Amino acid sequence: MIKDIKDAGKYKIMCMISKCDQSKTNKGTPYLNMILEDASGVIDAKFWNLTEEQANQYKVGMVVEAMGDVILYRNALQFRVQRLIEHPEENITDYVRQAPMKANEMQREVHQYIVSMKDETLKLVTETIISRYQKDYYTYPAATRNHHNFVGGLAYHSLSMARLADHIAKQYPYLDRDLLISGTLLHDVGKIVEFSDPVLPEYTAQGNLLGHISIMNCCIDEVAHELGKENEESILLLKHMILSHHGKQEFGSPVSPMIPEAEVLSIIDDLDARLFMMRASQETTEPGKFGPRVFALEGRMVYRRKDDKE
C-alpha cells in the first residue's frame, strides 16, 4: 500500500487516480501530473513521454495497477509511472481514504456534545440540522483538497474543533460554550450541498453560485423558522458565527468576527486545517528533511524532526 512506500525503488501498487492533469513538456510531449491514492494515503506521480491518445486514456476515478519507480524529489517521494493498467472491476470505495474514526464513533461523540448543551434553542437547532443531513454529515469530506479531504472528513474536522472549543470554554468562562459547540458542529454542513459526492467531489451549481457559508446561513434561517425560534438572539449569534468563520472577507466571510465566540471559531477552524496540512506534509517527508512547499501554507516548507518515525 502507499503508506508502505518509505524509500526510493521499483514498486507496483493498486490504487485510484484522484488527480489527473494533462500537460506538455517544453518539447510539446504530453505527460500526466497525477495523485495516486489508496485507503492508506496518497502519493504524487508523473507519467512522462505519452502520446495524445495515451494521455487521454486515464481519468480521475479509475482504479489502476501502477508500475514504476519511486524517487525522492524535493524531499518528497514521487512515483514515476512507467505503466498503468485499468481494473474496472474494482470497487472505487476500497481505494479512498477514510476518517481515522468510524462513522458510528463520531456519531456517538457528536450526540454527547449536543446533549451537553444547556441552551435549548441552540440544542434543538443543532440536533435538527445534523439529523436532517445524518448520513452525509458522516461521509462527506471537509474539503476537495488541502485538509480533511477524505470520506468522513467533515464530521472528523468538526469534532476536532468541538474538542478544542470545549477546552477553550473552560479556560475562558465568559465564553458561551453552547454557541461554540453549535458553531463547530454546524460551520461546514453547507459543504454537503456545496459538494457533489463524498468520493471525488466536485463543486455543484449551488456550491459555485452560493458557497457553503451562505448555504448554511439559509439552512439555519429555515430550521429556526420551522421551530418558531427565528427571533431569538442565540439564532442571530449562531448565524454570525457561520457567516464570519473564515475570519476575513477576502477569505470568503461576508462579515468579520464581532463576538469572542466567532473569533474562537475562526481561529480553531484555521488551526485544525493548518495542523492537518503540516502533518500531511511531514508524513511524506523523510525525518530530518524539509518537505515540498505547501501552497495553502503560504508556500512554506515543513520540517520533519529526526526522531519522528511514525
Side-chain angles (χ1 to χ4, degrees), residues 5-279:
I5 299 176
K6 304 293 186 183
D7 302 297
K10 290 189 176 295
Y11 289 89
K12 178 169 66 175
I13 57 172
M14 286 290 295
C15 55
M16 177 191 69
I17 301 173
S18 59
K19 175 185 173 183
C20 188
D21 294 335
Q22 193 174 143
S23 196
K24 289 187 177 181
T25 65
N26 292 334
K27 295 182 179 180
T29 306
Y31 73 93
L32 295 176
N33 182 26
M34 314 172 81
I35 291 179
L36 303 179
E37 176 176 342
D38 66 13
S40 71
V42 298
I43 189 168
D44 181 58
K46 295 287 191 293
F47 199 173
W48 300 99
N49 301 318
L50 300 173
T51 65
E52 293 278 357
E53 183 180 4
Q54 289 172 324
N56 291 330
Q57 285 180 16
Y58 304 105
K59 308 291 181 185
V60 168
M62 278 186 176
V63 176
V64 295
E65 184 178 21
M67 289 157 276
D69 298 308
V70 171
I71 66 168
L72 191 64
Y73 178 71
R74 293 181 178 176
N75 295 327
L77 295 173
Q78 184 183 92
F79 203 109
R80 295 290 177 94
V81 177
Q82 295 176 347
R83 190 181 181 195
L84 289 178
I85 301 174
E86 184 183 5
H87 285 262
E89 76 282 358
E90 291 289 323
N91 188 342
I92 190 174
T93 58
D94 293 335
Y95 295 89
V96 296
R97 291 166 297 147
Q98 307 271 344
M101 293 177 68
K102 293 181 180 179
N104 61 348
E105 294 172 339
M106 293 190 289
Q107 188 173 345
R108 281 196 297 270
E109 190 170 348
V110 167
H111 178 71
Q112 289 170 356
Y113 275 117
I114 293 174
V115 169
S116 72
M117 295 167 66
K118 295 179 173 59
D119 185 307
E120 291 300 326
T121 295
L122 289 175
K123 178 191 288 189
L124 186 57
V125 168
T126 304
E127 184 175 32
T128 301
I129 292 173
I130 291 179
S131 295
R132 182 169 293 182
Y133 294 102
Q134 180 80 1
K135 180 181 177 182
D136 292 337
Y137 187 81
Y138 297 100
T139 57
Y140 267 65
T144 58
R145 56 189 174 89
N146 293 335
H147 79 92
H148 301 89
N149 52 332
F150 46 70
V151 172
L154 190 156
Y156 187 75
H157 171 52
S158 300
L159 262 179
S160 179
M161 289 173 58
R163 294 171 190 146
L164 288 170
D166 203 11
H167 286 294
I168 291 170
K170 292 173 183 175
Q171 178 67 27
Y172 302 97
Y174 60 85
L175 293 173
D176 186 328
R177 177 187 179 275
D178 291 350
L179 196 56
L180 280 171
I181 296 300
S182 182
T184 56
L185 295 181
L186 296 181
H187 79 289
D188 271 351
V189 174
K191 290 183 176 179
I192 293 168
V193 178
E194 185 176 42
F195 299 155
S196 61
D197 194 81
V199 179
L200 299 175
E202 297 179 351
Y203 282 86
T204 62
Q206 297 99 312
N208 280 318
L209 293 171
L210 302 176
H212 71 280
I213 289 177
S214 297
I215 290 167
M216 193 62 232
N217 184 63
C218 291
C219 179
I220 293 172
D221 262 338
E222 180 184 327
V223 170
H225 179 74
E226 291 172 3
L227 298 172
K229 305 290 187 180
E230 67 270 28
N231 295 322
E232 297 196 20
E233 185 183 49
S234 58
I235 296 300
L236 175 64
L237 297 179
L238 177 60
K239 289 166 59 181
H240 174 69
M241 299 274 286
I242 301 302
L243 290 170
S244 64
H245 82 265
H246 278 191
K248 298 179 180 179
Q249 293 182 10
E250 55 263 42
F251 297 155
S253 278
V255 293
S256 299
M258 298 181 196
I259 58 174
E261 291 82 3
E263 181 76 0
V264 171
L265 179 64
S266 174
I267 289 170
I268 62 176
D269 186 22
D270 195 43
L271 174 66
D272 195 53
R274 284 174 175 270
L275 288 180
F276 178 93
M277 290 185 284
M278 295 190 90
R279 187 56 186 162

